[in-house]
Amino acid sequence: MSTPAPSPPRAEIVVDLDAVRHNVATLRDAVGGRALMAVVKADGYGHGMTEVARAAREAGAEWLGVAVMEEALALRAAGDTGRVLTWLAVPGEDYRPAVAAAVDVTAYSVAELDEIRDAARELGTPARVQLKVDTGLSRGGSTEQDWPDLVLAAVEAERSGEVTVTGVWSHFACSDEPDHPANAAQEAVFRWAVELAERSGLTPEVRHLCNSAGALTRPSARFDLVRCGIALYGLSPVPEVSTSAELGLVPAMTVQGRFAMVKEVRAGSGVSYGHSYVTAHDTTLGVVPAGYGDGVPRHASSRAEVLAAGRRRTIAGRVCMDQFVLDLGDSDAQAGDPVVLFGPGDAGEPTAQDWAEACGTISYEIVTRIGGRMQRRYVGKPDSPETPTGLVGSYGEGT
Ligand SMILES: *Cc1c(COP(=O)(O)O)cnc(C)c1O
């Protein structure tokens, strides 16, 4: 039985796994000898968690990092057997599946450590635990004041055989501004916290502080391991300082679609909701079938550019839930012709960083929120060069 030819996608996310592998290699070179954790939380920043994880492993990532335990378990379900760290839970969460799956979990407090110990005791398996210290972000992690108690509780838990402390770590607040004084201050607190842990008898396998920006700009803070998210996807973590190209990174995501309709209208036609754009001349309009229901930010209205009919064009008026409109001037574009919202930028299309600047946000938010009804397709896989994986959906889909 023959499969019907797939209809060309209305709007799609193309993820270049070769770019991911290239970025992992670039980061590994940059941090010379330190372990690399590929951060694949939030569905791989919108690129597909399990697919990106697999590509990152192929390129040598020793660790995967995700925020919550369900993400780690989805990685296990997809066949990943390597080291995985999680770092965000609320009281009462069931740690047993993560402990049983040899996932490293993070404790911010003695109360959290106690919950992890309970799970380990029930399972009869020691839990792998990393301790997080808040060195100045004032988000998760033990305060400096509470750190000695957390360390003592962890020493005790190790003696009881319930846990193995595999790491001590923290997170920067201002690493995207390499000269910000908070970076040095946080590094100093981190050194103090590590020393206290080691003097108390803990022997963490990995000490780590850097995200992508820290890894690339602050060699003194690299310790044993760096946790890279945004750079893995080829986007600059320090856009005010260096472009992704200057850092040797290749953006992995391209978002593109095809005109649902192209038509001629008169001068003075109000375009899209609110008529915030009015045609100056008789002109041609193109309707692009992607909107904020697909993660195209409404803040892109009349601001962000796309590549269509041979050049960059600013979105005409409001982005709607399912669609937006372009003023194509006297172009002879046809319904079905391609429109590139953003991509690596090497064919004249804008980048996710360009979109971030147009929308008043960061590239992280642009790529992570793209999805909805768009198809996701992977290129650059060695086994099957082009793999349609259907609508963007829950973790592990299409694997
Ligand atoms: C998301 C996250 C990272 C990755 O940060 P990037 O800036 O994307 O490299 C690293 N560590 C923690 C704790 C995170 O939550």
Side-chain angles (χ1 to χ4, degrees):
M1 222 170 69
S2 69
T3 333
S7 57
R10 193 166 51 234
E12 65 170 356
I13 304 162
V14 182
V15 177
D16 180 355
L17 295 173
D18 281 340
V20 171
R21 284 184 280 260
H22 166 89
N23 297 329
V24 169
T26 299
L27 289 164
R28 283 170 62 80
D29 276 356
V31 301
R34 271 69 170 208
L36 178 75
M37 179 184 290
V39 178
V40 295
K41 62 190 178 185
D43 207 12
Y45 291 39
H47 296 67
M49 180 175 69
T50 54
E51 290 82 356
V52 170
R54 207 170 293 136
R57 289 291 200 201
E58 284 162 10
E62 290 88 350
W63 287 77
L64 298 176
V66 288
V68 301
M69 289 188 280
E70 296 94 298
E71 293 175 309
L73 295 172
L75 289 168
R76 289 286 186 253
D80 193 280
T81 57
R83 302 300 293 273
V84 178
L85 176 68
T86 71
W87 51 72
L88 193 60
V90 295
E93 279 194 44
D94 186 359
Y95 284 90
R96 289 170 302 182
V99 172
V103 169
D104 289 54
V105 296
T106 297
Y108 292 177
S109 66
V110 174
E112 200 172 2
L113 183 65
D114 284 343
E115 289 197 69
I116 297 165
R117 292 177 71 170
D118 289 345
R121 204 177 309 118
E122 272 186 54
L123 289 169
T125 316
R128 288 175 172 158
V129 180
Q130 302 209 5
L131 306 181
K132 182 175 186 196
V133 55
D134 177 5
T135 55
L137 175 61
S138 303
R139 201 176 65 181
S142 158
T143 61
E144 285 175 58
Q145 300 90 289
D146 292 342
W147 181 245
D149 284 344
L150 179 57
V151 167
L152 279 184
V155 168
E156 219 250 318
E158 262 197 347
R159 282 205 195 109
S160 73
E162 287 156 4
V163 314
T164 308
V165 175
T166 57
V168 169
W169 67 277
S170 189
H171 194 49
F172 277 127
C174 306
S175 54
D176 58 334
E177 298 171 64
D179 298 327
H180 197 293
N183 297 317
Q186 284 195 259
E187 192 181 319
V189 175
F190 187 64
R191 289 181 189 282
W192 163 84
V194 167
E195 223 180 272
L196 192 141
E198 291 178 343
R199 263 194 287 113
S200 308
L202 297 179
T203 52
E205 174 190 340
V206 285
R207 297 156 294 183
H208 47 110
L209 176 57
C210 284
N211 55 0
S212 298
L216 289 168
T217 66
R218 201 168 175 85
S220 62
R222 286 176 187 149
F223 297 94
D224 304 307
L225 174 153
V226 295
R227 304 183 305 269
C228 293
I230 199 72
L232 183 69
Y233 306 99
L235 299 169
S236 173
V238 287
E240 318 265 280
V241 183
S242 311
T243 63
S244 60
E246 285 164 354
L247 295 168
L249 302 170
V250 177
M253 181 188 285
T254 298
V255 176
Q256 57 191 18
R258 305 191 313 130
F259 285 123
M261 181 182 210
V262 172
K263 65 183 175 191
E264 324 250 290
V265 300
R266 295 281 190 201
S269 300
V271 175
S272 193
Y273 291 129
H275 283 180
S276 61
Y277 183 86
V278 178
T279 57
H281 312 281
D282 289 1
T283 191
T284 304
L285 298 179
V287 178
V288 182
Y292 60 80
D294 309 292
V296 177
R298 192 166 175 279
H299 281 93
S301 301
S302 295
R303 302 181 69 96
E305 293 181 333
V306 304
L307 178 64
R311 64 175 182 80
R312 286 200 195 187
R313 300 167 191 278
T314 303
I315 292 172
R318 304 252 167 92
V319 172
C320 312
M321 188 180 289
D322 318 307
Q323 45 201 313
F324 64 83
V325 180
L326 298 178
D327 185 343
L328 300 169
D330 56 6
S331 135
D332 61 359
Q334 304 291 314
D337 282 358
V339 180
V340 183
L341 282 68
F342 58 84
D346 48 10
E349 76 280 11
T351 61
Q353 179 60 33
D354 293 329
W355 270 64
E357 286 165 25
C359 298
T361 184
I362 53 176
S363 63
Y364 296 67
E365 189 179 6
I366 298 294
V367 292
T368 302
R369 294 181 74 166
I370 280 287
R373 295 154 293 186
M374 290 193 196
Q375 306 270 325
R376 203 190 275 134
R377 176 162 63 91
Y378 291 92
V379 297
K381 268 184 182 165
D383 47 344
S384 52
E386 302 233 340
T387 315
T389 55
L391 289 177
V392 173
S394 54
Y395 303 133
E397 197 172 79
T399 61

